[in-house]
Amino acid sequence: MTVQTALVQGAQLLEDEGAIPVPRLTAEVLLAHALRRERVYLFGHPEHELSEIEWLHYGRYLHERLQGKPTQYITGRQEFYGREFRVTPDVLIPRPETEHVVETALRLAGGASRILDVGCGSGNLAVTLQLETGAAAWASDISPAALRVAARNALSLDAPVSFVACDLMSAFASRSMDLIVSNPPYVPLKEAAGLQREVRDWEPRQALFAGPTGFEIYERLVSDSARVLKPGGWLIMELGFSSREGVAAMLSARWREVEWVPDLAGIPRVVAAALG
Ligand SMILES: C[S@@+](CC[C@H](N)C(=O)[O-])C[C@H]1O[C@@H](n2cnc3c(N)ncnc32)[C@H](O)[C@@H]1O
């Protein structure tokens, strides 16, 4: 079987399933992964005959995707802010919206010399900010398995980040950071049934759900950041779809220069606030 035929048949299988977005692109990514090549190779070599092992790999990847496994957990990688991060089902797949956290941090606090990423998952925020600013960087997570993935990403991307297993920022000293960033779990438990199956069944529960209201981690992040930030330091967090009002109510008079940053669809996606 040639690359061209494998793509046509794979895309058709995925399309027939009915719930897989962009079936042709998915087939291309999975076939390139089976061939251990970049996607562009497929376009230059439509006549490449698949070896038996390549065919077996491709078949297995298609089967996994049809079962709902996200493409990124099959290929083990996801791009974030122009760099490739390794991902496993122990970590959330970094989302493009989260790049707004990086952009906001660089704009408002690009000169920070000590940065902490709380709930680091794959390490995408901590590693990116360390590499973009050269600051001293720490990252925490409650999941030791996630921290192992993050540490591996930091190593392969050559970013000196210190990883700490702890509950939020409980291991960090008072007034020790210039910038705290976080993309916390914010999905209310009652919304679990309505999530896409790729998210609900595959991404870590600890990365998604904060508790019954979805505001439980925000509450603790805001109050503990006031302890760990130096005066004038910045707290920058990603927001859930309808989190703005609830988070605004947590930002007491101690916080100033509060800024709500919309995503491309105009939804407030990031909040930034400086500690007074
Ligand atoms: C939404 S994910 C974000 C991961 C990554 N920062 C990103 O943007 O893709 C939230 C992360 O917070 C971690 N987490 C959840 N509760 C925590 C807690 N109490 N203390 C520390 N980390 C926590 C989860 O394990 C998960 O890795």
Side-chain angles (χ1 to χ4, degrees), residues 80 87 90-95 98-99 101 117-126 140-144 146-147 164-170 181-186 203-210 217 220-221 238:
F80 183 80
V87 293
D90 289 319
V91 299
L92 190 91
I93 298 164
R95 308 292 205 269
T98 307
E99 294 185 353
V101 174
D117 171 16
V118 180
C120 67
S122 63
N124 52 324
L125 283 175
S140 75
D141 206 291
I142 204 156
S143 157
L147 285 165
V164 179
C166 69
D167 183 18
L168 298 184
M169 56 194 99
S170 55
V181 293
S182 186
N183 172 20
Y186 49 63
E203 299 206 79
R205 285 185 69 79
Q206 247 173 354
L208 300 173
F209 303 110
I217 299 273
R220 296 176 55 216
L221 270 174
E238 180 165 321

Side-chain angles (χ1 to χ4, degrees), residues 6-7 10-11 14 22-32 42 58 62:
L7 280 179
L14 295 169
V22 290
R24 169 76 190 198
L25 175 63
T26 304
E28 288 171 5
V29 171
L30 295 180
L31 183 56
L42 307 177
Y58 184 48
L62 285 169

